[in-house]
Amino acid sequence: MLKISKRGQDMPSSPIRKLVPFAEMATKRGTKVYHLNIGQPDIETPQIMLDAVRHSDFKILEYGHSAGNESYRRKLVKYYKSVDIDIDFTQIVITTGGSEAILFGFMACLDYGDEVIIPEPFYANYHGFAAEAGVEVVTVTSHIANGFALPPIEELEKKITPRTKAIVICNPNNPTGYVYGKEEMKQLGEMVLKHDLFLFCDEAYREFNYEGEMPLSSLNLKGVDNNVIMVDTISKRYSACGGRIGALVTRNKDLVNAVMKFAQARLCPPGFAQIAGEAALDLPADYFDTTKAEYKNRRDLIVKRLNAIKGVNCPKPSGAFYAIAELPIDDADKFCQWLLESFSYNGATVMLAPGTGFYATPGLGKKEVRLAYVLNLTDINAAMDCLEEALKEYKQHTTITADSGVLAEAMYA
């Protein structure tokens, strides 16, 4: 009898997308859904990127270089220089989104059964990439009480075994919005050097830091050039998620050569999207000033509204465009599904990502949800009105359900 592979069975479902069918049914019923579940910005993709694709002039859409177009990689060198990162274009491999960069990195750096340590909660798809590569995820838990700060380095070191090969972080962080400070980054650099580990750093949200200077890049840590793999993407930076263009950047020549074998097997990254990504690098230096200001206003509003709701706790994130909130509920998965199946307020409801999907430790995140503040201020206010009313109604709903269960037990006792 044919069976699905163990890898296929072990591959986790996306906690961000698993509720999509329920959202689609809500929309078909005529309910407006405010999507705070996924990091899809409503800020328009820069016109310069769209025009570059529209006005591209070639007769054949050919295969490109497996490492990505050289012209694009050379322009990326100038961009990285502008944010104080010195790199050579030969140290950049363009990938199909940041996702492929992480997957290629895992497969090039880790063998089947090796372990990666990741502070949780973490971007849920890291678990999926690890499953694809046959890698075990080992977690160290960060906590909402201190804003999801990096756990003490000693806690990470306790998790190191002979099978540990890498540490994975996201800075600024998805899903928490926490920004690792210079001292935390330096401690991570010292640790990977001490234990001879790889350090994967997802820097997709580099520009979105609202409380100070740009975070220290992993590529600027001293003495760890052979250890660091930086992952990047145009998706969030330029509101171009569908372009699926990312990059793996490392000064480790042997690693670049290994990654290139995987890149050659998939032939080349998307051609049109590379044209768009290259055009984005011609945006004026102040492009991010406006987008950062807009996201900061959205962050301030959503955090204020959340903490004004009775029983809700939401630490203020310093970067990216996500926040994790603790709600007065017992099961985030059930609550998020109920929002889409059974609730509406003024003809609308809100879609959230259950916190459980961002933890690997069973039982954690059951009272937490991730919210992506990627909607305009008017829609955020409307979504928070929905959530506030929903929490009142859900409390009554769960009380009635619990009472009905007790009554049923008594009847059949």
Side-chain angles (χ1 to χ4, degrees):
M1 180 179 176
L2 289 175
K3 289 186 178 181
I4 300 300
S5 70
K6 186 177 186 304
R7 182 182 289 109
Q9 295 175 50
D10 292 345
M11 183 71 179
S13 300
S14 169
I16 304 166
R17 292 176 176 263
K18 69 180 182 180
L19 294 174
V20 167
F22 300 101
E24 291 172 341
M25 287 188 287
T27 301
K28 288 177 181 177
R29 292 195 304 269
T31 302
K32 178 178 177 60
V33 178
Y34 290 106
H35 289 271
L36 297 177
N37 63 302
I38 193 167
Q40 172 55 65
D42 67 350
I43 291 173
E44 292 186 357
T45 306
Q47 193 65 39
I48 191 173
M49 297 175 69
L50 304 178
D51 286 344
V53 174
R54 290 190 181 106
H55 301 148
S56 54
D57 183 22
F58 48 80
K59 301 299 182 183
I60 301 172
L61 186 58
E62 298 177 331
Y63 285 129
H65 194 290
S66 294
N69 296 341
E70 184 173 326
S71 60
Y72 180 31
R73 287 182 286 143
R74 286 186 179 277
K75 283 182 76 171
L76 275 173
V77 169
K78 295 179 181 178
Y79 158 73
Y80 287 127
K81 183 71 174 176
S82 75
V83 293
D84 298 321
I85 298 172
D86 283 318
I87 208 79
D88 184 84
F89 83 97
T90 61
Q91 297 165 330
I92 301 171
V93 178
I94 303 303
T95 55
T96 308
S99 301
E100 188 178 70
I102 298 168
L103 182 59
F104 281 1
F106 278 4
M107 292 193 297
C109 295
L110 301 133
D111 288 316
Y112 191 86
D114 283 345
E115 296 174 349
V116 294
I117 298 174
I118 313 179
E120 63 178 352
F122 56 79
Y123 175 50
N125 283 341
Y126 293 160
H127 221 164
F129 305 142
E132 288 182 74
V135 172
E136 299 293 328
V137 171
V138 176
T139 58
V140 179
T141 306
S142 60
H143 302 279
I144 196 169
N146 63 354
F148 299 105
L150 182 72
I153 289 296
E154 299 78 34
E155 294 300 310
L156 275 74
E157 287 191 303
K158 288 178 184 176
K159 299 287 185 172
I160 295 174
T161 74
R163 292 198 298 161
T164 306
K165 295 296 172 61
I167 310 291
V168 180
I169 64 166
C170 181
N171 192 32
N173 188 267
N174 173 13
T176 68
Y178 184 80
V179 177
Y180 297 115
K182 287 184 178 179
E183 196 55 41
E184 289 170 312
M185 290 299 296
K186 289 177 181 177
Q187 289 177 347
L188 284 169
E190 291 168 1
M191 186 179 76
V192 298
L193 193 60
K194 175 183 175 182
H195 296 280
D196 197 24
L197 305 174
F198 289 107
L199 174 62
F200 286 81
C201 191
D202 184 342
E203 300 184 10
Y205 303 91
R206 179 183 299 109
E207 272 78 11
F208 304 121
N209 181 31
Y210 312 115
E211 304 300 335
E213 61 186 16
M214 193 173 290
L216 177 67
S217 173
S218 56
L219 288 167
N220 284 337
L221 295 172
K222 303 299 182 185
V224 290
D225 281 356
N226 280 332
N227 304 71
V228 169
I229 301 97
M230 190 270 280
V231 174
D232 216 344
T233 171
I234 69 169
S235 293
K236 315 301 180 172
R237 186 168 296 128
Y238 304 114
S239 193
C241 300
R244 309 313 305 135
I245 286 293
L248 182 150
V249 187
T250 181
R251 298 189 181 99
N252 185 323
K253 187 175 180 180
D254 290 338
L255 178 53
V256 170
N257 291 338
V259 167
M260 278 300 297
K261 296 175 187 178
F262 295 105
Q264 290 164 354
R266 64 84 165 103
L267 303 180
C268 66
F272 279 125
Q274 285 187 86
I275 292 171
E278 185 171 338
L281 299 172
D282 291 327
L283 285 163
D286 63 356
Y287 166 75
F288 293 105
D289 294 346
T290 302
T291 52
K292 270 183 68 174
E294 175 64 19
Y295 282 128
K296 185 177 185 295
N297 289 337
R298 295 177 180 190
R299 177 204 65 172
D300 293 345
L301 175 62
I302 202 167
V303 171
K304 179 182 177 181
R305 287 295 310 269
L306 285 165
N307 285 320
I309 299 173
K310 185 177 179 181
V312 175
N313 172 35
C314 179
K316 181 180 283 188
S318 296
F321 38 64
Y322 306 99
I324 285 189
E326 185 177 51
L327 306 182
I329 56 175
D330 290 328
D331 191 317
D333 292 274
K334 289 181 179 178
F335 175 69
C336 291
Q337 184 171 327
W338 174 85
L339 282 171
L340 298 169
E341 277 191 312
S342 306
F343 173 80
S344 70
Y345 176 69
N346 290 336
T349 190
V350 60
M351 189 174 182
L352 308 172
T356 51
F358 301 99
Y359 291 87
T361 303
L364 295 185
K366 289 186 74 67
K367 294 187 177 184
E368 296 173 0
V369 295
R370 188 195 71 169
L371 306 95
Y373 45 93
V374 291
L375 305 181
N376 61 62
L377 297 177
T378 299
D379 284 353
I380 285 176
N381 264 321
M384 292 302 97
D385 289 343
C386 281
L387 180 59
E388 186 169 12
E389 187 63 29
L391 286 169
K392 295 176 187 175
E393 190 172 317
Y394 191 69
K395 184 177 181 180
Q396 296 173 345
H397 164 76
T398 51
T399 300
I400 292 170
T401 302
D403 287 347
S404 298
V406 171
L407 179 60
E409 280 189 27
M411 289 174 63
Y412 292 100

